[in-house]
Amino acid sequence: MKQNKTMIKKSILFIALFAVGLFSYGQNSDKAKALLDEVYNKVQSYDNIYIDFQSTLENTEANLKQETNGNVTLDGEKYLLNYFGATQLYDGNKVYTVVPENEEVTIEDVNEDNDNVSPSKMLTFYKTGHNYQWDILQNVGGRKIQYVKLIPIDSNTEIKSVLLGVDTQTKHIYKLIQTGSNGTKTTITVNSFKTNQPISSTLFTFDEKKYEDKGYYIIRN
């Protein structure tokens, strides 16, 4: 359905932040900046990253709670995301969103004015678009999770705040909690974080003919 595709297109920036937005830097907290620097350096050392995650979308006032699992593979700027029953692929030039439920593929160019930007654009955006605060430390099954709070400088943004939970031992992101200005809270929790996996040379190659043969409707934006 159309709502499914819209959620995918709006969610990719959030997923990109979750996977590599940990490259962000803070200005108002030396401790927060130092921790994020460690995470950045750790992630930069990997050839690729595979993350299996659980996502929860909640809005108490709207009596909304939606849970789903997903996964994302990242290699540099390229990514392959499976989320809400759809797939989104970025091959370094274009973004391909495949929604089997609609038998539909959307192909979009990536440019400075496009919301569906690459993780590197997300990195740049969060590097300059937020203030940072040192937040709580939690013990989760014997793991120490330190939270850093990201607060948008732009008061008109739809995002009120983002909490990044960092495993202090591995320096990997364990949890991300995004609170919207409308009260909607999106939580992403890592189930599995794998690095330097053997991946196919064609993983980030889109096979348009495959979907044409299936009768999918191809939309070019």
Side-chain angles (χ1 to χ4, degrees):
M1 57 184 176
K2 295 293 184 183
Q3 182 181 7
N4 204 7
K5 187 178 80 170
T6 300
M7 292 185 71
I8 285 291
K9 294 178 69 176
K10 287 185 176 180
S11 295
I12 185 58
L13 295 184
F14 183 53
I15 299 301
L17 166 65
F18 168 67
V20 295
L22 34 111
F23 293 109
S24 307
Y25 289 90
Q27 299 297 325
N28 70 329
S29 171
D30 291 340
K31 290 172 66 177
K33 180 182 184 302
L35 179 59
L36 292 176
D37 281 346
E38 287 188 81
V39 175
Y40 169 83
N41 291 332
K42 191 68 175 289
V43 171
Q44 283 286 83
S45 69
Y46 301 133
D47 292 332
N48 59 67
I49 300 172
Y50 171 83
I51 299 173
D52 180 86
F53 60 87
Q54 180 181 26
S55 174
T56 303
L57 181 71
E58 293 182 273
N59 187 308
T60 304
E61 292 186 2
N63 195 28
L64 170 68
K65 185 172 183 179
Q66 191 171 22
E67 296 181 337
T68 189
N69 290 324
N71 60 74
V72 60
T73 300
L74 299 111
D75 186 347
E77 293 188 353
K78 299 177 183 179
Y79 60 77
L80 177 64
L81 169 70
N82 297 296
Y83 194 51
F84 278 111
T87 297
Q88 187 165 78
L89 182 148
Y90 175 57
D91 64 2
N93 295 301
K94 295 180 182 293
V95 174
Y96 306 85
T97 304
V98 181
V99 184
E101 187 175 357
N102 297 343
E103 295 188 347
E104 186 176 277
V105 175
T106 302
I107 303 175
E108 299 173 282
D109 289 320
V110 173
N111 56 58
E112 293 299 317
D113 299 321
N114 196 325
D115 285 339
N116 293 310
V117 295
S118 70
S120 63
K121 174 75 176 293
M122 175 60 71
L123 180 156
T124 304
F125 173 78
Y126 275 82
K127 182 176 179 180
T128 59
H130 288 73
N131 292 318
Y132 295 81
Q133 296 178 359
W134 192 255
D135 212 270
I136 65 171
L137 177 69
Q138 287 186 337
N139 188 309
V140 180
R143 302 165 64 190
K144 293 183 179 179
I145 308 298
Q146 176 63 56
Y147 284 87
V148 173
K149 191 172 187 178
L150 292 72
I151 302 174
I153 295 173
D154 182 2
S155 59
N156 294 321
T157 182
E158 294 181 0
I159 300 174
K160 183 178 180 181
S161 66
V162 176
L163 278 169
L164 283 175
V166 179
D167 186 316
T168 59
Q169 181 176 1
T170 65
K171 299 303 185 294
H172 293 163
I173 297 295
Y174 164 72
K175 183 174 287 190
L176 185 150
I177 304 170
Q178 175 183 288
T179 301
S181 56
N182 63 353
T184 299
K185 180 180 290 186
T186 306
T187 302
I188 292 183
T189 305
V190 172
N191 295 323
S192 176
F193 189 108
K194 299 179 182 179
T195 62
N196 300 336
Q197 298 294 295
I199 59 176
S200 168
S201 60
T202 61
L203 183 64
F204 303 105
T205 302
F206 183 73
D207 186 354
E208 184 173 342
K209 186 175 185 305
K210 167 185 171 182
Y211 293 98
E212 289 177 343
D213 290 346
K214 288 183 176 181
Y216 276 50
Y217 181 55
I218 309 294
I219 302 171
R220 300 179 187 275
N221 291 336

